[in-house]
Amino acid sequence: MNPKPTFTGIIPPLVTPLLPDFTLDSFSLEKILNHVIDAGVHGVFILGTTGESPSLQQKIKIQMIRETCKLVNDRVPVLVGITDCSMGNSLELAEMAKNYGADVLVAAPPFYMNISQEDLEKYYRDLANRTELPLLLYNIPSHAKTPLEIETVERLSSHPNILGIKDSTDSKEYLSQLSETFRPHSDFILLMGPEERLLDALQHGFSGGVSGGANAFPEVYVKCYESFIEGKKEKAREYQNLIWEISQELYHHVSHPSSYLKGLKECMKLSHLSGGILSPPQRSFTEEERQTFHKKFERIKSKIHKFLEE
């Protein structure tokens, strides 16, 4: 097993840019990667929820791994999502990630079958035993159905190839329990998923955030993190308030389960970073929704630019 890597900071869960035929948009992928890396992000996470991984073909996922690793070219760590209902598919992605030069694997629980905590623990141990790259647990019960209970995470943390957890529960109680449980074990990495809780997580000792909005507005998230690390707590709070406004204005534009992704991908389109196409069964905004969204986007973009210039 490789030594456990240590990393901190803002790690965007990268959107997967798609062409109208739902194949990978390689040109846009390069633009997005340069956009976030030039803004100072500390890593990139591909093939997660924001990357629409469950609805992508396996060959598209492998292409995404290969091209991302090549384009990043060791500038920042690359984290690769390998979540799947099939252990074989997860292991294939893990092998591709290793071969193409990624740094870390990320796996949420398999999301279809009913799984006990005992079975889930055995699953993760088997996965970690059979992969060469270190593994990050990913708790997202809103999508994966089965939660990673604190006691399960604590037992799994002793595995030499499991380096930490990404918490996407959006639960302040779970956040606090993770912080309390792993405070004596600073080598176990804690990353926050929902960006609305980024600063709260940092204050609880988390290592960083996997923030979706950092695809479109990476400077805001990087400066929030850096301000906190530098002890500029009031400035960090101002950035967090701006992140909250981004969330409320752009991720909740319509009353729809996929409102977050619709909004984020439309942001990428309006920023001239990608075409904004979602993978089926999800669909982009209607034309009427898009027109009203554009006004919100321009207002938020203007506010961000003024704030960053201060």
Side-chain angles (χ1 to χ4, degrees), residues 1 87 91 105 121-135 156 158-162:
M1 299 290 182
M87 171 75 81
L91 291 173
L105 307 173
E121 181 180 346
K122 290 178 180 177
Y123 170 84
Y124 273 116
R125 288 188 181 279
D126 191 18
L127 196 58
N129 287 338
R130 298 173 65 182
T131 55
E132 292 189 39
L133 292 180
L135 180 67
L156 286 170
S158 65
H159 193 289
N161 207 34
I162 295 177

Side-chain angles (χ1 to χ4, degrees), residues 205-235:
F206 276 52
S207 302
V210 185
S211 306
N215 282 273
F217 311 109
E219 297 93 345
V220 175
Y221 299 80
V222 170
K223 288 185 179 295
C224 182
Y225 172 78
E226 290 178 345
S227 296
F228 175 81
I229 294 300
E230 293 166 4
K232 301 174 182 176
K233 304 299 173 64
E234 185 176 338
K235 197 66 177 177

Side-chain angles (χ1 to χ4, degrees), residues 1-5 104-105 107 120-129 131-138 148 152-166 182 187-189:
M1 299 290 182
N2 295 328
K4 289 185 179 182
V104 177
L105 307 173
L120 189 58
E121 181 180 346
K122 290 178 180 177
Y123 170 84
Y124 273 116
R125 288 188 181 279
D126 191 18
L127 196 58
N129 287 338
T131 55
E132 292 189 39
L133 292 180
L135 180 67
L136 188 77
L137 308 175
Y138 183 2
L148 268 160
T152 305
V153 177
E154 189 172 17
R155 290 191 296 271
L156 286 170
S157 69
S158 65
H159 193 289
N161 207 34
I162 295 177
L163 79 164
I165 183 170
K166 174 180 181 271
F182 292 103
D187 61 331
F188 193 74
I189 295 169

Side-chain angles (χ1 to χ4, degrees), residues 21-64:
D21 62 356
F22 308 115
T23 56
L24 186 64
D25 181 352
S26 301
F27 178 72
S28 292
L29 177 60
E30 182 173 12
K31 286 200 294 184
I32 294 168
L33 285 168
N34 288 334
H35 172 66
V36 299
I37 293 173
D38 289 347
V41 302
H42 306 86
V44 292
F45 167 39
I46 63 171
L47 302 180
T49 309
T50 302
E52 303 171 85
S53 179
S55 57
L56 300 176
Q57 289 180 281
Q58 189 80 344
K59 66 179 182 180
I60 299 295
K61 295 180 186 182
I62 293 171
Q63 183 185 3
M64 183 71 173

Side-chain angles (χ1 to χ4, degrees), residues 74-91:
D74 296 322
R75 286 180 287 172
V76 294
V78 175
L79 288 69
V80 175
I82 61 169
T83 303
D84 202 284
C85 290
S86 162
M87 171 75 81
N89 285 345
S90 292
L91 291 173

